[in-house]
Amino acid sequence: PLTPLGIEVLDGRELSPTLCSGLRSSALQLWNQAVIQPVKLSPLCAAGMNAAVRATVRVGIYTGAKVYFVHEGYQGLVDGGDNIKPATWESVSMMLQLGGTVIGSARCMDFKEKWGRLKAACNLVKLGITNLCVIGGDGSLTGANQFRTEWSELLADLIKQGKITAEEAKRSSHLNIVGMVGSIDNDFCGTDMTIGTDSALHRIIEVVDAITTTAQSHQRTFILEVMGRHCGYLALVTALACGADWVFIPEMPPEENWEEHLCKRLIAQRERGSRLNVIIMAEGAQDRKQKPITCDQVKNLVSKKLGFDTRSTILGHVQRGGTPSAFDRILGSRMGVEAVMALLEATPETPACVVSLSGNMAIRLPLMECVQVTKDVTVAMAEGRFEDAVNLRGKSFQNNWNTYKMLAHVNPPEVKSNINIAIVNVGAPCAGMNAAVRSAVRAGLIQGHQMLAIHDGFDGLANGQIEPITWAQVGGWTGKGGSNLGTKRNLPGKNIEQISLNIAKFNIHSLIIIGVFGCCKTTREKYEELCIPMVVIPATVSNNVPGSDFSIGADTALNTITTTCDRIKQSAAGTKRRVFIIETMGGYCGYLATMAGLSSGADAAYIYEEPFHIHDLELNVMHLIEKMKTSVKRGLILRNSNANDNYTTQFLYNLYSEEGKGTFDCRMNILGHMQQGGTPTPFDRNFGTKMGAKSVMWLTDKLKECYRHGRIFANTPDSACVLGMKKRSLIFQPLASLKDDTDFEHRIPKTEWWLKLRPILKILARYEAVEIDTSEVAAMEHIIKKTGEIKGGKI
């Protein structure tokens, strides 16, 4: 099934010269004959697909093309008629916050037959559509590739049947295909994330949080089945994000005699003081003999053998519904842009490609090679090669699995290491801090270390507010927002001497600092007590820590802002001719304003990193005045809190109110500290969990290196590091090495990857003469042996 869109060059209209400045001349020549039709192929919907449709339509129109919707998937292609309609800029307005797909999707048996594909080809030729943008799963994308492969044969048959002329066939001599993967299971190899997965995790975690409160009250065991017939990604990440006691995934079935091990695990958790047990199951859970493991089977085992009050819940299609998360909206938008770029550059020799996410980059990969690796996973599971299946899923899946095993399936050793590792939260509280503390504590205990909790930040370290923290004390922390340890903004500063004394007094051998930019400065020259291994885990809603593309807490804040903007836009849509000015947090870092602008469909986002002047403000006002003449009579302007000293939020409100008189009125909102609160998103829980565990493993190795003559001494640059996410990897970088890339005055990195996305925001808001260059190079695992380096595109 599919949900199609198409693009056709308008007669007598040229492509945007600025946008297309980097295109090859051959691509330009082909584009002058082409029509692009984005198509949603999947029979099942995933939140975020509308963002992809919106971006494809608007970027296509922006380049001077005509875009078509194909309603009801492949069935719409086969049936033609009113199922294939032109799309306009306004027709995709207010789509970002909608789940599912507004252009529909349906299973289509006709398209599997050649006569059905003949009808579809005839409909496309008659409309001059020779480019398809397809959103679906691997089966749907494979069908699209087959359609492309036999295109010449289909045209020949249509000529023989007299349904098209030779001239029409010549104009439509080849069909270009580009795919985007829409699947909540995240089961497509070659991309880190598929559209809809993050939103599904949001729905699952909402249910888990609700279930755990009643489970804890009644001391129950809950079994939760999530989707994933052939892929355990949702189950695995959910287990990490909620600290589940056991997880069943199809890629790695439990060992023989798992029933006994499961019962021992549940009993051990109760003996440690836990009042509940949580078991997560993928829909396709199986044992080593590939026999299905069901919810009822596990429920009966636990209730009969252990006597625990046990309940089971099968989530079903609730996981597919609801409002898309901010991540899925941005992912869909970026993929839609890249998909149009791919079609613009396509030649008859270009193989069908799929737009993928590699770290923070949108890239293109050969479609059928990705499909083949995806099928290889299924084959590996069928043949009992479960380790291979996990490896084929990619490094992210492997890391999730290894982290889960360490935190949930390994008991602390009886022999202790005599190492004391302290944990402190620094800066403003943010969602995900507690998840990082929990995993760090448990990973440390598993290594045999004593874990120490420092309360109230560096002030607490100076005042001696330090105490041991146990396995049971951090139970249930992954889902709690803020900082259970307490945190303060104050940095060591004048308390540095007292801090050094307490490090010696409490015999602290290494330190984990979960927090903000300022804690990245450290000095060991004067105080020998500070010569211990240290690691900084970035945790701030501002996402401004050098050395990391993401910080714990930023995703939760972004989703909070996006949800608020949705409600504000709805208010503006009902009132008509209203513009809202919204101020976000972030200090001098414009990450939140920019990404919220993308996820909420803002008309502009003012940030410090991109200076703006009165002429820019004038252009923005005129843009909104023109917009009010269309059917979309609302506006949304975002401003980062420290974007400009003089052009304040109040100033912008006054300016827009004055200049918009008679055309629109204005309202102003300063979101404030609500952006720091709330329960952590699945991303922040998972991110914090992996960061905490990885930091302890690194410190354990570093402590062995620094142990000399019965004491710990570490003063080399690589013994004080920031643990950051760079593209696809979690890496440790010495604090000293980050100085050159740091603007200490404004507390931001000098290079910020997300600035490349700002032109997309402007294009989707319909500003003219915007230049965009998202050229990227990435070497994708799984496919590297066949394709080598994969390059992105440039418009």
Side-chain angles (χ1 to χ4, degrees), residues 223-506:
I223 304 163
L224 185 71
E225 182 187 291
V226 301
M227 284 187 170
R229 191 170 302 157
H230 304 293
C231 180
Y233 183 86
L234 289 179
L236 180 55
V237 174
T238 300
L240 268 177
C242 71
D245 300 302
W246 197 279
V247 65
F248 292 94
I249 60 173
E251 292 89 346
M252 186 55 72
E255 300 290 343
E256 297 294 334
N257 201 26
W258 61 268
E259 294 90 345
E260 183 178 341
H261 294 308
L262 171 60
C263 291
K264 286 182 178 179
R265 172 67 184 167
L266 300 183
I267 292 173
Q269 284 296 90
R270 293 293 177 101
E271 289 176 346
R272 290 193 182 104
S274 176
R275 291 178 55 86
L276 78 158
N277 298 116
V278 177
I279 300 170
I280 305 296
M281 300 186 63
E283 182 183 4
Q286 59 181 353
D287 62 19
R288 293 269 160 173
K289 297 178 182 178
Q290 298 178 28
K291 181 180 178 182
I293 300 175
T294 66
C295 266
D296 287 341
Q297 179 184 350
V298 177
K299 178 182 176 182
N300 292 334
L301 169 69
V302 175
S303 58
K304 290 179 180 179
K305 192 164 185 176
L306 301 180
F308 291 175
D309 186 2
T310 308
R311 300 287 190 274
S312 62
T313 301
I314 299 175
L315 284 190
H317 282 70
V318 69
Q319 297 159 83
R320 296 191 181 278
T323 300
S325 67
F327 180 92
D328 272 330
R329 300 186 197 194
I330 296 168
L331 177 63
S333 298
R334 294 184 66 186
M335 286 188 168
V337 172
E338 189 68 27
V340 175
M341 291 160 57
L343 291 171
L344 285 169
E345 292 188 336
T347 70
E349 293 74 35
T350 305
C353 72
V354 60
V355 179
S356 300
L357 182 71
S358 176
N360 56 32
M361 302 181 297
I363 63 169
R364 307 171 208 164
L365 294 175
L367 170 61
M368 292 315 295
E369 291 187 22
C370 293
V371 169
Q372 184 57 53
V373 178
T374 303
K375 292 179 178 178
D376 290 344
V377 178
T378 305
V379 172
M381 287 191 289
E383 295 177 352
R385 295 184 286 110
F386 300 113
E387 291 288 349
D388 289 344
V390 171
N391 292 336
L392 285 167
R393 285 288 183 212
K395 287 184 179 179
S396 176
F397 194 96
Q398 293 174 52
N399 291 338
N400 285 331
W401 176 244
N402 292 333
T403 303
Y404 176 77
K405 283 195 300 181
M406 180 178 66
L407 294 176
H409 287 273
V410 180
N411 293 318
E414 295 182 5
V415 179
K416 305 302 179 183
S417 67
N418 295 322
I419 292 294
N420 299 325
I421 299 178
I423 305 174
V424 61
N425 290 344
V426 181
C430 61
M433 276 184 163
N434 292 324
V437 172
R438 171 191 173 272
S439 66
V441 167
R442 292 195 169 179
L445 294 174
I446 288 167
Q447 297 300 310
H449 308 322
Q450 175 171 262
M451 304 302 293
L452 301 175
I454 301 172
H455 298 277
D456 295 336
F458 284 123
D459 287 359
L461 182 54
N463 297 328
Q465 297 173 243
I466 306 167
E467 63 180 8
I469 187 167
T470 66
W471 185 286
Q473 281 179 276
V474 295
W477 278 28
T478 54
K480 294 181 179 179
S483 168
N484 286 0
L485 293 184
T487 181
K488 295 285 182 65
R489 293 181 181 271
N490 297 338
L491 299 177
K494 61 182 179 181
N495 294 325
I496 190 68
E497 185 171 346
Q498 190 60 42
I499 285 173
S500 65
L501 291 175
N502 278 333
I503 287 176
K505 177 182 177 180
F506 288 89

Side-chain angles (χ1 to χ4, degrees), residues 518-640:
C519 63
C520 292
K521 287 185 176 181
T522 182
T523 177
R524 294 164 158 178
E525 291 81 6
K526 295 182 180 180
Y527 303 97
E528 187 176 312
E529 294 83 0
L530 295 178
C531 293
I532 58 175
M534 301 181 188
V535 61
V536 175
I537 297 177
T540 166
V541 300
S542 301
N543 197 35
N544 64 339
V545 178
S548 186
D549 292 342
F550 297 99
S551 296
I552 294 170
D555 187 70
T556 303
L558 178 59
N559 276 276
T560 301
I561 297 168
T562 301
T563 300
T564 304
C565 288
D566 284 348
R567 294 170 180 172
I568 286 172
K569 284 180 66 178
Q570 188 177 53
S571 167
T575 308
K576 304 293 185 185
R577 300 183 185 278
R578 177 163 288 176
V579 175
F580 275 88
I581 316 291
I582 310 296
E583 181 183 303
T584 69
M585 279 185 168
Y588 287 97
C589 180
Y591 175 83
L592 288 179
T594 297
M595 302 306 266
L598 274 172
S599 62
S600 61
D603 294 281
Y606 299 116
I607 64 172
Y608 169 78
E609 293 93 337
E610 191 174 278
F612 56 97
H613 309 284
I614 193 66
H615 176 64
D616 302 304
L617 297 176
E618 181 184 10
L619 287 176
N620 295 151
V621 171
M622 295 308 299
H623 170 80
L624 283 172
I625 290 174
E626 290 301 312
K627 183 179 180 180
M628 296 300 165
K629 297 176 182 178
T630 70
S631 59
V632 185
K633 302 182 186 300
R634 64 185 171 277
L636 181 66
I637 305 294
L638 299 179
R639 179 188 176 275
N640 172 235

Side-chain angles (χ1 to χ4, degrees), residues 607-608 611-613 639-649:
I607 64 172
Y608 169 78
F612 56 97
H613 309 284
R639 179 188 176 275
N640 172 235
S641 56
N642 289 354
N644 189 288
D645 291 338
N646 297 308
Y647 298 142
T648 63
T649 304

Side-chain angles (χ1 to χ4, degrees), residues 135-197:
I135 312 172
D138 60 331
S140 299
L141 297 178
T142 301
N145 186 69
Q146 180 186 2
F147 191 40
R148 177 185 186 273
T149 302
E150 63 180 12
W151 183 255
S152 297
E153 181 183 341
L154 294 174
L155 294 184
D157 289 347
L158 289 171
I159 292 173
K160 287 180 183 178
Q161 296 173 14
K163 294 184 177 179
I164 64 172
T165 65
E167 183 63 27
E168 288 175 325
K170 184 178 180 181
R171 286 199 299 267
S172 304
S173 59
H174 65 276
L175 179 69
N176 296 319
I177 294 285
V178 63
M180 291 181 274
V181 188
S183 167
I184 70 166
D185 294 338
N186 201 31
D187 56 353
F188 191 83
C189 293
T191 184
D192 291 347
M193 219 49 170
T194 56
I195 298 171
T197 302

